[in-house]
Amino acid sequence: MPEPLPMQRDAFRYYVKEALANLYDRSRLQTSPLLDALRSDRAPDGLASASLREALREAIDRLRPDVTIPPGRPEWLGYRLLWQRYVHRKSRFAVCQELNISRTSYYRYHQQALDAVASLLWERAAKHGVSQPTSEGVAPGNADQAVQTAVRLAHESRRQPTGIVGLTEGILRTLRPLTEEQSIRLVVSAAPELPPIYVNAWVLRQALLSLLLDAMEGRDGEHLDLEIARGADCLSWRLLSVPRDLGESQGIAVAREVIGAYGGQLMLEPCEDGAALALTLPIARQSTILIIDDDRDTIRLYRQWLQAHDYLVTVARTRAELGDRLETAPDLVLLDVLMPQWDGWSVLHTLKAEPRTASIPIVICSVLSQPRLALALGATAVLCKPLTEAQLTQAISAALYLQDTEQ
C-alpha cells in the first residue's frame, strides 16, 4: 500500500500550474518538484523535462470529451482552453477570442480544467507512493506552509524600488558570523549603476538569506562568487560553484516562489565546476492606476493611498478626459459605475469591447452591490464603498499579479 504523499494537495496543484506555464522551458521543468512525485526520471540530457511535459499533455488530453459530444458544446471548453493556452502558447486574450468567451468565463473554465488536470496527476502520484523531497529535519507540511506564507507576503506586502546591491551587502553582513565560522569567502562583483527592482525589501531579503544559507551548507573553507549584472529588462543574481545536487530544500522552494511572485525566475544552471544558482528579477517599473470617478473627495483619498504605495495615478472625471488618459494605456483601472454625468456600466462595456483596452484589469469601486453584473461584463474585482486602504491596495496587487501571470 503506497504511503500518503507528504506534499499538500494545494501545493501540488500550484506546481502543476507552474509547470504548465513553463511547458517548453526545459530548465524549469528539470527542477520541478513534480518530477519526483510523478516518477519522471531525472536525466542530464533533458529526458526528465520531456517526460514531465508529456505527462502534462496527456493529462490535458484526458479532458477531451467523447466524440459523440459536438465540438461547440460547453463540455469542450476546459480541454480546448488549456490546450490553446499552454500547448499552443496563446495569450489569455487570444484564447478568449478563439473560444468566443468572456474574461470571466475564461477564469471559471480555466480553474475547473486546471483542478481536473491536477487531480488526474495527483492520482497518478499517489499510485506511485513517491514522496516530495524536503530538507532534512523539516516536516513536509511545514515546508509547504513556509512556501505558502512566503508567497502570500510577497503578494500582499508593500513594494518599493530597491537596490539589489545594497540589499545583498546587508545580507552578507548578517551572514558574516557564519561565513567566518565556516571559513567561507563570499565575494560580490556587481556592475556599476544598476537600476532598482520593485519588491518588498524585507520579503526578498528573507528569501535570499534562505538561499545563501542552503548554498553554504557543508561548504567549509570554500570560496563562493556572487555576480550581479544587468540584462535587457532585468537584473541577474548568480551564485557560482554550488553543487549540482543542491536540490529542492525548503530555502530554495521559498526563494523560488517569492522570486516568481515578483515576476522573476530561479534556476540551477550546470557549469564546468558544478552549477550556478541563478535568479532574475525585473527592473523596477511603477504601475499606473487610472481612476475613473467624478467625486473629488474620493479621488483625493485614492490618490493619497495609491501614491503611498508607489503607484503612478492618473484621473478621468469626464469622457473627454478618459480619451486623453487612454492614449497611454494604464496598468489598471479603478471605476465607479454610479456617476451623475455618465454611466460607468457603459464605460466598462466599452473598455472590454475595445481590443486596445480589453486586457486592462478593471476594479469596480461603487456603492452599488452588483458584483455578478460587473464580473459578467469583464471586471476583475468588485469593491463596495466605503472601503479601506487595505481592501483597495490588496485588490490592486492581486489584479496586477493575475494580469502578469496570464499574459
Side-chain angles (χ1 to χ4, degrees):
M1 177 71 66
E3 296 181 1
L5 288 173
M7 187 193 299
Q8 294 180 359
R9 191 157 184 163
D10 286 346
F12 184 89
R13 181 188 182 279
Y14 175 83
Y15 290 130
V16 170
K17 182 177 180 180
E18 182 187 47
L20 284 171
N22 296 280
L23 193 61
Y24 298 99
D25 188 331
R26 174 177 155 183
S27 61
R28 294 293 294 272
L29 294 185
Q30 196 77 17
T31 57
S32 172
L34 297 178
L35 287 172
D36 287 325
L38 299 175
R39 283 198 169 177
S40 297
D41 296 330
R42 293 184 180 273
D45 59 359
L47 292 179
S49 61
S51 176
L52 178 54
R53 184 182 304 114
E54 185 61 26
L56 292 164
R57 291 180 56 147
E58 286 177 359
I60 295 175
D61 199 55
R62 287 180 63 184
L63 302 184
R64 182 196 291 266
D66 188 86
V67 292
T68 59
I69 299 176
R73 296 279 299 171
E75 290 88 340
W76 282 85
L77 283 175
Y79 161 76
R80 293 180 62 195
L81 188 152
L82 291 189
W83 198 264
Q84 294 294 329
R85 181 74 176 100
Y86 297 114
V87 179
H88 290 171
R89 305 179 71 179
K90 294 185 178 180
S91 69
R92 179 201 57 78
F93 183 70
V95 173
C96 287
Q97 284 190 316
E98 181 156 336
L99 301 183
N100 194 27
I101 58 176
S102 68
R103 180 174 183 160
T104 302
S105 296
Y106 171 93
Y107 290 131
R108 183 171 70 252
Y109 286 109
H110 180 274
Q111 181 174 340
Q112 292 172 355
L114 180 63
D115 288 342
V117 166
S119 294
L120 290 170
L121 293 174
W122 177 267
E123 291 172 6
R124 171 176 168 175
K127 288 178 182 178
H128 292 323
V130 179
S131 299
Q132 161 72 6
T134 58
S135 57
E136 184 177 351
V138 178
N142 292 339
D144 285 338
Q145 185 176 10
V147 171
Q148 293 167 11
T149 300
V151 171
R152 178 179 57 79
L153 288 173
H155 290 327
E156 296 180 359
S157 55
R158 177 179 174 181
R159 306 183 187 190
Q160 58 188 7
T162 301
I164 187 66
V165 175
L167 183 66
T168 302
E169 290 175 346
I171 293 171
L172 297 188
R173 286 193 294 270
T174 301
L175 290 174
R176 188 169 297 156
L178 277 179
T179 56
E180 292 178 352
E181 179 182 315
Q182 295 182 235
S183 299
I184 293 176
R185 188 172 175 228
L186 213 165
V187 179
V188 178
S189 59
E193 299 182 1
L194 291 173
I197 51 178
Y198 200 59
V199 298
N200 179 280
W202 180 85
V203 174
L204 183 61
R205 172 186 166 85
Q206 302 309 309
L208 296 182
L209 187 64
S210 298
L211 204 62
L212 285 169
L213 284 170
D214 282 352
M216 289 167 50
E217 187 71 27
R219 308 296 301 279
D220 295 19
E222 296 191 23
H223 179 101
L224 296 176
D225 289 311
L226 179 59
E227 298 178 347
I228 305 176
R230 175 173 182 169
D233 55 0
C234 64
L235 297 185
S236 65
W237 189 97
R238 300 177 77 247
L239 184 65
L240 307 181
S241 303
V242 301
R244 293 192 181 188
D245 59 351
L246 193 57
E248 285 292 322
S249 66
Q250 183 186 27
I252 288 179
V254 168
R256 173 175 286 117
E257 305 313 324
V258 168
I259 291 163
Y262 291 136
Q265 289 188 343
L266 174 63
M267 298 159 286
L268 196 63
E269 301 175 344
C271 300
E272 291 183 3
D273 55 349
L277 201 57
L279 66 89
T280 59
L281 285 163
I283 293 171
R285 184 186 74 84
Q286 288 178 284
S287 296
T288 300
I289 310 297
L290 170 60
I291 302 172
I292 304 177
D293 203 313
D294 61 355
D295 184 81
R296 293 184 180 275
D297 291 336
T298 298
I299 293 170
R300 187 180 302 111
L301 183 61
Y302 288 176
R303 189 192 295 274
Q304 177 184 334
W305 288 347
L306 297 176
Q307 289 179 342
H309 286 261
D310 294 298
Y311 291 114
L312 296 175
V313 179
T314 60
V315 177
R317 299 182 184 89
T318 65
R319 286 189 177 277
E321 288 184 351
L322 178 59
D324 292 338
R325 301 297 180 265
L326 291 177
E327 288 184 4
T328 301
D331 296 288
L332 181 140
V333 170
L334 297 179
L335 174 63
D336 184 7
V337 296
L338 187 61
M339 296 178 285
Q341 303 302 322
W342 50 331
D343 177 23
W345 296 117
S346 65
V347 173
L348 175 58
H349 181 270
T350 299
L351 291 176
K352 287 302 171 182
E354 290 288 337
R356 189 168 61 92
T357 57
S359 62
I360 299 175
I362 298 178
V363 176
I364 300 296
C365 302
S366 176
V367 295
L368 295 178
S369 181
Q370 296 173 324
R372 291 181 60 192
L373 176 59
L375 295 174
L377 289 173
T380 302
V382 180
L383 300 176
C384 187
K385 293 180 179 178
L387 51 92
T388 66
E389 178 180 356
Q391 288 174 323
L392 182 64
T393 55
Q394 287 175 14
I396 290 173
S397 178
L400 290 175
Y401 171 71
L402 183 63
Q403 177 74 356
D404 288 341
T405 58
E406 294 295 337
Q407 294 260 327

